Amino acid sequence: MFLETQGLKDLQTLVSMSKQRGFVYQSSEIYGGLNSCWDYGPLGAQLKMNIKRAWWETMTRRRDVVGLDAAILMHPTVWKASGHVDNFSDPMVDCRSCKARHRADHLESNVCPNCGSKDLTEPRSFNLMFKTHMGPVEDEGSVVYMRPETAQGIFVNFENVQSSMRRKLPFGIAQIGKSFRNEITPGNFIFRTREFEQMEMQYFVTPGEDDKFYDQWKEWRMQFYRNIGINEKNLRFKPHGLDELAHYAKAAEDIQYLFPMGWSELEGIHNRTNFDLSQHAKFSGKKIEYFDEAKKEKYVPYVIETAVGCDRLVLAALCDAYTEEQVGEGDTRTVLKFHPRLAPVKAAVLPLSKKEPLIEVADKIFATLSESVETQYDESGSIGKRYRRQDEIGTPFCVTVDFDTLEDKQVTVRSRDSMAQERISIDQLSRYVNDKILAKL
Ligand code: ATP
């Protein structure tokens, strides 16, 4: 049906579209913006919410995973124990010519990517944690950190969760929340920012079972991306080499997505061993152990971690959905082909005329659909233009109310991707839309 189809060519197209359509705006734009900070507009906020909900439900509706919502500010010793105070740093170099600042490990050679100069400073270690002060006195004793990862909130609550929820190994704790890293070179839109949201799950296992669950979680996590409609061709695993492993990890692998700037990390899957729980036991002076009733022994569990950036997944979902289709001679439509579960607006109610009897029916349909899904109402412009507006924000179903509706109590449902139209009885409409949203691919 389509003469030609093409995906996203460059990130800039997405940045402009995101602003125009209400997905993402630059933060504090009227003041000239704040580097690497972005605000989600009405559609972006809903998209992000849908992504978080898909992740949260996938995790916590398993029998072996529970949720948690820990505070951003934690006792400062947490970050000594975790190794962040000593090790959470990147090597930074400055270009003496143009003054640009770079991550030394991101440079392909010792050349400034900004101006081509070879006159760079020696790499210096730069700690990525944001510091602030708790209470009125700003001295060394009042320093607290904005958490650079959500994981530590899970580790320090291991015993609380295990005992209050009467959990036996293996079990996981899932959490969604903001993290902060004073990145040296943020960029690529919402790919790398200094304030971002993470969706992390720590799965506690008996030592010796860690390799098995590491492989298992890799599979489960890839399945998640398939279930939310991310194109498999744009996803791949990328194991870390031994020299790339973080200080706590026995094994690590990234799930990468093919962003317009190339393959880049979307999610990290790590075998963190018993490093974190042992460190917290050491620094807090409290034993953190699990009593295995079957084995009649105590031990420190191993941890398999899955960690994905919510904003990065929003970016991947936008890139993946973006399509330009030539639908006729000289006629191109832009359409965001989100899985219906992710689409910020699920249905649009479009009365063919502004005449009273039609509006009355359309209002009722809007009210009924809105009870279960995000619905827009649009009565302005030609029906063709209204369809295109919905295509551009990725609405999977357009519901047209016409004069026949008054007689036969049916509406025309037009599907975003195929543009096919079918008549559906008003009584069946909510059911029809909801079934499609829940459908797995
Ligand atoms: P990178 O190598 O890209 O700096 P990382 O390996 O340090 O990332 P992790 O600590 O494993 O990342 O964090 C888990 C996930 O959190 C990443 O896969 C990514 O999706 C997300 N994330 C990490 N840093 C940022 C950031 N600055 N902005 C947005 N998302 C981030």
Side-chain angles (χ1 to χ4, degrees), residues 80-92:
K80 289 210 176 79
S82 67
H84 283 82
V85 170
D86 294 329
N87 296 317
F88 195 57
S89 49
D90 280 334
M92 175 172 76

Side-chain angles (χ1 to χ4, degrees), residues 159-287:
E159 283 206 327
N160 282 336
V161 174
Q162 194 255 322
S163 61
S164 60
M165 305 302 289
R166 298 169 38 245
R167 289 283 141 173
K168 290 199 164 57
L169 294 189
F171 76 92
I173 305 178
Q175 173 166 228
I176 300 178
K178 289 259 180 172
S179 293
F180 302 82
R181 297 182 187 178
N182 204 356
E183 300 274 2
I184 297 167
T185 44
N188 287 323
F189 195 28
I190 50 174
F191 178 84
R192 188 183 301 283
T193 51
R194 293 187 171 118
E195 171 185 345
F196 56 98
E197 214 159 349
Q198 287 187 306
M199 305 190 285
E200 295 200 282
M201 192 279 319
Q202 266 70 36
Y203 198 73
F204 299 91
V205 303
T206 306
E209 298 205 333
D210 47 319
D211 293 337
K212 178 181 86 186
F213 281 111
Y214 177 75
D215 289 341
Q216 184 71 76
W217 273 105
K218 276 172 48 189
E219 223 172 274
W220 284 329
R221 293 305 302 143
M222 205 46 123
Q223 185 59 41
F224 168 75
Y225 292 110
R226 281 188 222 116
N227 289 349
I228 59 167
I230 304 291
N231 189 339
E232 237 177 318
K233 282 200 307 240
N234 294 329
L235 292 165
R236 72 175 188 195
F237 284 112
K238 176 84 178 21
H240 287 206
L242 281 179
D243 54 333
E244 292 171 293
L245 286 183
H247 58 278
Y248 51 74
K250 173 175 159 190
E253 201 141 333
D254 293 339
I255 295 179
Q256 293 188 329
Y257 180 80
L258 185 54
F259 290 99
M261 64 277 187
W263 288 102
S264 315
E265 174 177 344
L266 176 62
E267 164 155 354
I269 299 167
H270 308 120
N271 180 342
R272 292 179 79 125
T273 69
N274 59 9
F275 174 81
D276 303 88
L277 291 182
S278 306
Q279 286 291 102
H280 287 305
K282 190 166 133 197
F283 278 73
S284 67
K286 305 217 162 58
K287 277 214 169 86

